[in-house]
Amino acid sequence: MKVLITGGAGFLGQRLARELLARGELKGPDGQPQKITELVLLDVVAASGFSDSRVRAEVGDIAERSVLERVIDERTSVIFHLAAIVSGQAEADFELGMRINLDASRLLLETCRLRGHRPRVVFTSSVAVYGGDMPDVVRNDTALNPQSSYGTQKAIAELLLNDYTRRGFVDGRVLRLPTISVRPGKPNAAASSFASGIIREPLNGEAAVCPVTGGTRLWLLSPRQAIACLIAGLELDAAALGHQRALNLPGISVSVDEMVAALREVAGEAVVKRIQWQPDPRIEKIVGSWPGRWDTTRAEQLGLSGEKSFADVIRSYIEDEHIQPV
Amino acid sequence: MKVLITGGAGFLGQRLARELLARGELKGPDGQPQKITELVLLDVVAASGFSDSRVRAEVGDIAERSVLERVIDERTSVIFHLAAIVSGQAEADFELGMRINLDASRLLLETCRLRGHRPRVVFTSSVAVYGGDMPDVVRNDTALNPQSSYGTQKAIAELLLNDYTRRGFVDGRVLRLPTISVRPGKPNAAASSFASGIIREPLNGEAAVCPVTGGTRLWLLSPRQAIACLIAGLELDAAALGHQRALNLPGISVSVDEMVAALREVAGEAVVKRIQWQPDPRIEKIVGSWPGRWDTTRAEQLGLSGEKSFADVIRSYIEDEHIQPV
Ligand SMILES: NC(=O)c1ccc[n+]([C@@H]2O[C@H](COP(=O)([O-])OP(=O)(O)OC[C@H]3O[C@@H](n4cnc5c(N)ncnc54)[C@H](O)[C@@H]3O)[C@@H](O)[C@H]2O)c1
Ligand SMILES: NC(=O)c1ccc[n+]([C@@H]2O[C@H](COP(=O)([O-])OP(=O)(O)OC[C@H]3O[C@@H](n4cnc5c(N)ncnc54)[C@H](O)[C@@H]3O)[C@@H](O)[C@H]2O)c1
C-alpha cells in the first residue's frame, strides 16, 4: 500500500507519518490490514528526520498540477491531505489561501478523478467552517457559516470532497478537527496559536501572550488523539459513513480560564504567572466566531474518541514531548 | 446606473430584463431610486427581442476572464448573476458544470474584487443545495448537503459570495429559488423540467411525461414572483441582511398529485388526461433529494413573498403567457 501525506513536513503530518511507520499497516477498504510499503511526504519544505526506507520526502508546491501528478499514481491508495495555509495567514493573504486551501485541494481531487483509481482521501477540516448564529452545541446538521476565508476554503473543499465521493471519483472522509492543543514548537500564524502557546511557553519557563479574554470558549483535542482519529477516520467502513462524509471529531469544550486552571493543577501557580493578558480584537473576533462545543455522537458511534479533561491533555503533552516543567 | 445580467438570454434573465426596463429604476445602496441607464445582457446566445436603447446584448462565455472584464467595469453597480448549467446537464457533464457554475461564478467575483468598486451582486441558488437527512421543514440553519454536482456547485458559489461580501469585495445576496413553475417554452435539461411540462404541455393540447410519482413533493414559485423576489433581493438593505447573505425564497409546497388536482380545477379533466406517468429513477432520485418545504420566515420578514396556492400559479401562467387552454 502506497500512502501520501500532503503537508507531510507539518506538525500533524510528521506525527502522522511517525505513527503510520510504527503501525506498519492500515486497514484496506475491505477491512483487512495491508502493509504500508511506501510513504510519500509532500511538502514545500523537505520532511526531515526520517531514516526509514519506506519514506520518500518530496519537495513541491501542491498547487502545481505536475507535482500532484508526480506523487499520485494508480498505486497511491491512501491520501491524507493536510497541506494548508493556516487561518491567520489565509485571512491576511486572500490569494494565497484560495490557491492552497481551495485550488490545490480541488487539483488533488481532480488528479485522482483523472487517474480513476478511487483512493481513500482524508481531508482535515476545522471548527472555522462554523460561525455566526450557532446553537450552543453545534449539531451534525448545523449549517456551515464560516466567518473567515480559511473557514470558507475548508467548507468548499468539504463540499467538493463529498461530491467527488458521491460520484465515485474518490472515497473521501472529512474530519473536522477541533483546535489542536498542546502543539509543540513555535507559535504559528493560526489565529488559535495561543491555545498552545499559553501552555507550552509557561511550561518552558517563558512568557506567553494570551490575546483573548478568559471567558473565550475553545473546542480542543490533543495531537495524540488527533492522529488516532485521522487513522481511525481513514479506516472507517465507507458504508458506515454513507453520503455525508464530514465528521465532527470529539474534543473538550474549555474556556481559557479553565485551561489556565488546568495548567495550575498540573504545573503550579508560578508557571501560570507567565501568561500575559493582551486582548487582540482581530484574534478575538476570529476565535470568538468558532463553536465552543459540538455534538460528537456520530463520531463516537463510529468509534472515534478524544480526551476527558484538559489537565489530561497537558499531561499527555508533557509525556509525549518529554517536557520538564520549569 | 449600469446593470449586468449574466444568462441574460435565459428564461429568468429575459423576464428580469423586461421587468427592469419597465420599472426604469432600482433602489441604490442608500435606498434612493436610481435610473437604469444601461442594461447589459451577457449570454452565449444573443438576447433578442429588445429594441430598447438602454439594452446592450453581449455574446460571450462567462467562464472567460476577458469576457467578464469587458462587461464589468467600475460603473457596473448591479449584477444579477443567472448564467448557469442546469441540474440535469451538470450531472451529466461534470466538467462543464464545474466550469460554468463554479469557475465562472468565482471569476465574476474575482473580476469585481480586482475592479474594487464593490457592486451589489444577486446570485440565484437552488433547492438542490439541500439533501440527505433533512427536517420536514428546512430551516435557515439547516446544513447544506447537496446530492448533485449542480447543488454542490451552487453551494460553493454561495460560500464564495458570502466571503467576498464579508471582506467587502462585493455586496452579495444569494437567493435560493424554489423550482420555478410554470416555465413557458420547451422542456430543458433540468431534472425539474417536468414540474412545468406537466402543466404547460397539457394546457397546450400536448402529451406530457411525468417522471416521478404523485407523492413527490416540490417547492415551487411562479416566474412572476421569482422576478419580483430577485429585484426585492437586490434592493434589500445590506444592514438588514448582515453576515448571512443567503435567503430561502418563499414558495408553495405541493405534491405532484396536488399539482395535477390544481390543473384539473383550473382547466378540467380532459387536460389532465394528457399526463403520462413514466417514472424515471434518475430524475426521481435527484428531485426526491430536494426539500419539499422550507422555513421562509426570514425572507418574509424582509418583505419577499410568493403565491398562496398552485391553482393561482397556473392562473398567473395562463394570464402572463396569454394561453388559451385547449
Ligand atoms: N493544528 C490545528 O489546530 C488544526 C485544527 C484544525 C484543522 N487543522 C488542519 O490540519 C492540517 C494540518 O495542520 P498542521 O497543524 O499540521 O499545520 P502545519 O502548518 O504545521 O502543516 C501544514 C503543512 O502544509 C505545508 N504546505 C503549505 N503550503 C503548501 C504547498 N503549497 N505545497 C505543499 N505543502 C504545503 C506547510 O509547509 C506545512 O508543513 C491543515 O489542513 C490544517 O488546516 C489543523
Ligand atoms: N428555473 C428554475 O427552476 C430555477 C430554480 C432554481 C435556480 N435557478 C437558477 O436561476 C438561474 C436562471 O435560471 P433559468 O431558469 O433562467 O435558466 P436558463 O438555462 O434559461 O438560463 C441560463 C442562461 O445562462 C446561459 N449560459 C450558460 N452558460 C453560459 C456561459 N458559459 N456564458 C454565458 N451564459 C451562459 C444560457 O445560455 C442561458 O441562457 C440559474 O442560475 C439557475 O440555476 C433556476
Side-chain angles (χ1 to χ4, degrees):
Chain A
M1 175 186 280
K2 183 171 164 185
V3 176
L4 167 65
I5 304 178
T6 76
F11 163 49
L12 293 177
Q14 292 231 320
R15 264 150 215 275
L16 175 61
R18 257 185 233 110
E19 180 66 22
L20 290 177
L21 293 170
R23 294 196 185 200
E25 58 185 33
L26 279 172
K27 280 189 198 160
D30 59 357
Q32 296 308 309
Q34 291 180 18
K35 283 232 161 350
I36 297 171
T37 50
E38 194 177 349
L39 178 60
V40 180
L41 305 179
L42 171 67
D43 206 299
V44 278
V45 295
S48 58
F50 292 95
S51 55
D52 196 295
S53 65
R54 291 165 292 179
V55 173
R56 200 177 98 209
E58 285 270 357
V59 176
D61 179 353
I62 197 187
E64 281 176 23
R65 188 179 293 270
S66 60
V67 168
L68 284 169
E69 284 171 351
R70 198 171 73 220
V71 295
I72 300 175
D73 63 32
E74 284 74 6
R75 294 175 308 118
T76 314
S77 57
V78 169
I79 301 175
F80 290 95
H81 174 37
L82 309 185
I85 297 299
V86 292
S87 51
Q89 202 183 350
E91 196 61 22
D93 188 339
F94 180 71
E95 293 182 358
L96 181 68
M98 290 294 272
R99 185 174 135 84
I100 309 306
N101 296 342
L102 198 167
D103 292 325
S105 296
R106 176 164 166 203
L107 207 52
L108 182 141
L109 293 171
E110 273 295 279
T111 307
C112 295
R113 180 174 79 87
L114 297 172
R115 287 265 185 254
H117 67 310
R118 203 162 174 272
R120 282 178 291 170
V121 178
V122 169
F123 174 67
T124 44
S125 187
S126 153
V127 286
V129 297
Y130 292 108
D133 292 331
M134 276 177 293
D136 285 343
V137 179
V138 161
R139 299 175 310 270
N140 272 313
D141 74 342
T142 297
L144 304 193
N145 188 13
Q147 301 299 317
S148 64
S149 294
Y150 170 79
T152 300
Q153 292 146 10
K154 289 285 185 188
I156 292 175
E158 287 194 12
L159 283 163
L160 288 174
L161 199 112
N162 258 319
D163 200 44
Y164 275 71
T165 297
R166 190 186 60 80
R167 292 192 82 121
F169 301 147
V170 300
D171 174 357
R173 291 100 202 279
V174 174
L175 303 179
R176 294 196 193 112
L177 299 185
T179 294
I180 306 301
S181 171
V182 181
R183 180 188 164 112
K186 299 208 175 347
N188 72 356
S192 59
S193 181
F194 74 90
S196 293
I198 60 169
I199 308 298
R200 183 184 58 221
E201 270 71 274
L203 280 174
N204 202 24
E206 296 160 23
V209 168
C210 183
V212 301
T213 53
T216 305
R217 192 153 278 278
L218 295 171
W219 180 240
L220 302 179
L221 185 68
S222 71
R224 191 197 276 188
Q225 280 311 111
I227 298 303
C229 285
L230 289 185
I231 296 175
L234 182 272
E235 291 185 328
L236 280 177
D237 181 18
L241 277 167
H243 267 340
Q244 177 43 273
R245 291 318 185 97
L247 218 49
N248 291 336
L249 288 192
I252 356 174
S253 178
V254 279
S255 69
V256 171
D257 280 339
E258 287 162 4
M259 293 172 72
V260 172
L263 181 62
R264 187 178 290 112
E265 178 189 329
V266 174
E269 183 63 25
V271 169
V272 163
K273 279 267 164 58
R274 296 178 189 133
I275 301 172
Q276 295 162 7
W277 300 82
Q278 293 174 14
D280 173 340
R282 202 185 56 87
I283 303 275
E284 184 98 51
K285 191 172 168 208
I286 296 182
V287 176
S289 78
W290 299 342
R293 180 189 289 272
W294 60 38
D295 177 2
T296 57
T297 321
R298 186 162 181 242
E300 277 157 20
Q301 275 167 353
L302 291 165
L304 308 185
S305 63
E307 274 89 8
K308 292 274 165 291
S309 82
F310 190 66
D312 286 351
V313 169
I314 300 180
R315 288 191 194 99
S316 83
Y317 166 69
I318 290 175
E319 199 180 301
D320 288 358
E321 304 297 324
H322 314 289
I323 303 289
Q324 306 282 4
V326 287
Chain B
M1 177 186 279
K2 182 170 164 185
V3 176
L4 167 65
I5 304 178
T6 75
F11 163 48
L12 293 177
Q14 292 230 322
R15 262 149 216 273
L16 175 61
R18 258 184 232 112
E19 180 67 22
L20 290 177
L21 292 170
R23 294 195 184 200
E25 57 185 34
L26 279 172
K27 280 190 197 160
D30 59 358
Q32 297 306 309
Q34 290 180 19
K35 283 231 161 350
I36 298 171
T37 49
E38 194 177 349
L39 180 60
V40 180
L41 305 179
L42 171 67
D43 206 299
V44 278
V45 295
S48 59
F50 292 95
S51 55
D52 195 295
S53 65
R54 292 166 292 179
V55 173
R56 200 177 98 210
E58 286 268 358
V59 175
D61 179 353
I62 198 188
E64 281 177 23
R65 188 179 293 271
S66 61
V67 169
L68 284 169
E69 284 172 350
R70 196 170 75 220
V71 296
I72 300 175
D73 63 33
E74 284 74 6
R75 294 175 309 117
T76 313
S77 57
V78 169
I79 300 175
F80 290 95
H81 175 37
L82 309 185
I85 297 300
V86 292
S87 50
Q89 203 183 351
E91 195 62 22
D93 188 339
F94 179 71
E95 294 182 358
L96 180 68
M98 290 295 273
R99 184 174 136 85
I100 309 306
N101 296 342
L102 198 168
D103 292 325
S105 297
R106 176 164 165 204
L107 207 52
L108 182 141
L109 293 171
E110 273 296 280
T111 307
C112 296
R113 179 174 79 87
L114 297 172
R115 287 266 185 255
H117 68 309
R118 202 163 174 271
R120 283 178 290 170
V121 178
V122 169
F123 174 68
T124 44
S125 186
S126 153
V127 286
V129 296
Y130 292 109
D133 291 332
M134 277 177 292
D136 285 342
V137 179
V138 161
R139 299 174 311 269
N140 272 311
D141 74 342
T142 298
L144 304 192
N145 188 13
Q147 301 299 317
S148 65
S149 294
Y150 171 79
T152 300
Q153 292 146 10
K154 288 285 185 187
I156 292 175
E158 287 195 12
L159 283 162
L160 289 174
L161 199 112
N162 257 319
D163 200 45
Y164 275 70
T165 297
R166 189 187 60 80
R167 293 192 81 120
F169 301 146
V170 300
D171 174 356
R173 290 102 202 279
V174 174
L175 303 179
R176 293 196 193 112
L177 300 185
T179 294
I180 306 301
S181 170
V182 183
R183 180 187 164 114
K186 299 209 176 345
N188 72 357
S192 59
S193 181
F194 74 90
S196 293
I198 60 168
I199 307 299
R200 183 184 58 223
E201 269 71 275
L203 280 174
N204 203 24
E206 295 161 22
V209 168
C210 183
V212 301
T213 52
T216 305
R217 192 153 279 279
L218 295 171
W219 180 240
L220 301 179
L221 185 67
S222 71
R224 192 196 277 187
Q225 280 311 111
I227 298 302
C229 285
L230 289 186
I231 296 176
L234 182 273
E235 290 186 327
L236 280 177
D237 182 18
L241 278 168
H243 268 340
Q244 177 43 275
R245 292 319 186 96
L247 218 50
N248 291 337
L249 288 192
I252 356 174
S253 178
V254 280
S255 69
V256 171
D257 280 339
E258 286 162 5
M259 293 173 70
V260 172
L263 181 62
R264 186 178 290 113
E265 177 190 329
V266 174
E269 183 62 27
V271 169
V272 164
K273 280 265 164 62
R274 297 179 189 131
I275 302 172
Q276 294 161 6
W277 301 83
Q278 292 174 14
D280 174 340
R282 202 186 56 88
I283 302 277
E284 185 98 53
K285 190 171 169 208
I286 296 182
V287 176
S289 78
W290 299 342
R293 180 189 290 272
W294 59 39
D295 177 2
T296 57
T297 321
R298 186 162 181 240
E300 277 157 20
Q301 275 165 354
L302 290 165
L304 308 185
S305 62
E307 273 90 7
K308 293 275 163 289
S309 81
F310 190 66
D312 285 352
V313 169
I314 300 181
R315 289 192 193 96
S316 83
Y317 166 70
I318 290 176
E319 198 180 301
D320 289 359
E321 303 297 324
H322 315 289
I323 304 289
Q324 307 281 5
V326 287

